[in-house]
Amino acid sequence: MLGKLIKYDLKVSSKLFILLHAAYLFVCIISRILYMNKLDFKGPEEPVIISLALFISVLSILMTALMIFTELHIAFRFYRSMFSREGYLSWTLPVSGTQHLWAKIISGYILAAADIILIAVGILILITGRNITSAYSLIADEMTNELGMPLERFALLLFTFCVVSCISTVIMIYFCIVIGQLFPGHRVLCAIAAYFILSTALQVFTLLIMLAFGIFPGHNFFMAKGQTMTEYMTNIFYVSAVLTIIITIVQYVITHYIMNKKINLL
């Protein structure tokens, strides 16, 4: 039954997801052909730097919008299938609250991970042109010394971390939604408020922990300590990973309890 729930969720969620991400990849391909392949790094630097800065800014906005859409899509699907009118039908199925929750976690994670993967594919489409790779080869040694490892390996580690951390993002979204269900008069508003309050609290708490461990964020800090960027990022990764695991487990336990004991669709 769990497999059927996951399959149904993905089927319902995939249409708009595929359409928007296909449009994103199409934009990346067109940008590669019409812009990236025509960049001349042997000419004057200033026009190239300005145009690249503008292009990267626009691309960053597009990727951020795509990630926000995916998170909202996951949240909307969870709320609609569990707590709206559709939720009445969902809860009549011979499925426990735990199975409902895990079906949503797995399907949500698949969408969130696919979002990261497709965004990464779009970036690869843009930066793998011969002119880009040739220009990078001129600074590759310097970049490797700065990072402490080749850029390709650093990017792969960062990509892996992002894909794995999608599970914590999905559970946090569900946690905030079920918290909102405890306030019958303003369920959606309280869920949104819970998300922003929790996000802010976690950022402040993480910063305090980093200060306590002497891992203050910033380029000047790791340069002053004589660390490579990789060593600095590794320290941050360890602290962030431990905090994320603990917080995600707590959020899952609370979400599981509310869905099994405190759900009231009225």
Side-chain angles (χ1 to χ4, degrees):
M1 191 64 180
L2 180 62
K4 292 181 179 180
L5 289 174
I6 296 171
K7 183 178 179 180
Y8 177 74
D9 274 342
L10 292 176
K11 182 178 180 181
V12 173
S13 304
S14 62
K15 294 180 181 179
L16 186 56
F17 180 89
I18 292 174
L19 178 63
L20 290 179
H21 285 78
Y24 161 74
L25 293 177
F26 178 75
V27 168
C28 289
I29 293 172
I30 295 299
S31 298
R32 162 78 177 266
I33 296 172
L34 299 181
Y35 175 72
M36 297 298 289
N37 285 349
K38 296 183 178 181
L39 284 175
D40 182 9
F41 294 96
K42 297 180 181 179
E45 293 184 0
E46 187 174 349
V48 174
I49 292 174
I50 292 175
S51 66
L52 267 177
L54 291 173
F55 178 76
I56 292 172
S57 298
V58 173
L59 185 65
S60 298
I61 292 173
L62 177 60
M63 291 189 295
T64 301
L66 205 57
M67 287 188 286
I68 292 174
F69 157 77
T70 301
E71 292 184 7
L72 289 175
H73 193 53
I74 291 170
F76 177 76
R77 180 61 199 154
F78 180 70
Y79 176 81
R80 183 176 180 180
S81 62
M82 291 287 97
F83 306 114
S84 67
R85 292 181 179 179
E86 186 179 332
Y88 286 96
L89 177 60
S90 297
W91 288 105
T92 60
L93 297 173
V95 179
S96 66
T98 301
Q99 288 177 305
H100 274 304
L101 178 58
W102 272 106
K104 295 294 183 275
I105 289 175
I106 294 172
S107 61
Y109 173 77
I110 290 173
L111 290 177
D115 175 60
I116 297 296
I117 292 170
L118 291 172
I119 287 175
V121 169
I123 294 174
L124 286 175
I125 291 172
L126 290 168
I127 66 173
T128 51
R130 183 175 298 178
N131 58 334
I132 304 296
T133 55
S134 297
Y136 175 73
S137 66
L138 301 176
I139 61 170
D141 292 338
E142 181 181 346
M143 185 65 71
T144 298
N145 291 332
E146 182 75 13
L147 294 175
M149 65 173 64
L151 178 61
E152 297 84 354
R153 189 189 306 173
F154 181 82
L156 180 60
L157 290 174
L158 183 61
F159 168 76
T160 302
F161 175 76
C162 291
V163 171
V164 173
S165 65
C166 286
I167 187 70
S168 63
T169 301
V170 171
I171 291 178
M172 179 177 171
I173 290 171
Y174 295 169
F175 170 77
C176 293
I177 291 174
V178 298
I179 289 296
Q181 304 313 299
L182 300 178
F183 303 89
H186 305 280
R187 290 175 176 173
V188 176
L189 180 62
C190 288
I192 295 173
Y195 182 85
F196 284 105
I197 292 172
L198 182 61
S199 297
T200 302
L202 290 178
Q203 289 175 7
V204 173
F205 181 69
T206 301
L207 179 60
L208 292 175
I209 293 296
M210 290 171 64
L211 288 172
F213 280 90
I215 314 175
F216 190 83
H219 176 79
N220 293 332
F221 176 82
F222 75 79
M223 289 298 292
K225 291 288 185 177
Q227 295 178 323
T228 65
M229 186 181 293
T230 299
E231 292 171 334
Y232 174 69
M233 293 294 291
T234 299
N235 290 332
I236 292 179
F237 168 77
Y238 285 138
V239 174
S240 299
V242 172
L243 287 175
T244 299
I245 291 171
I246 294 173
I247 291 169
T248 300
I249 291 174
V250 172
Q251 289 175 342
Y252 170 78
V253 170
I254 295 174
T255 303
H256 178 273
Y257 175 78
I258 293 175
M259 286 193 66
N260 281 279
K261 302 295 183 180
K262 296 292 186 179
I263 289 299
N264 181 8
L265 298 180
L266 296 179

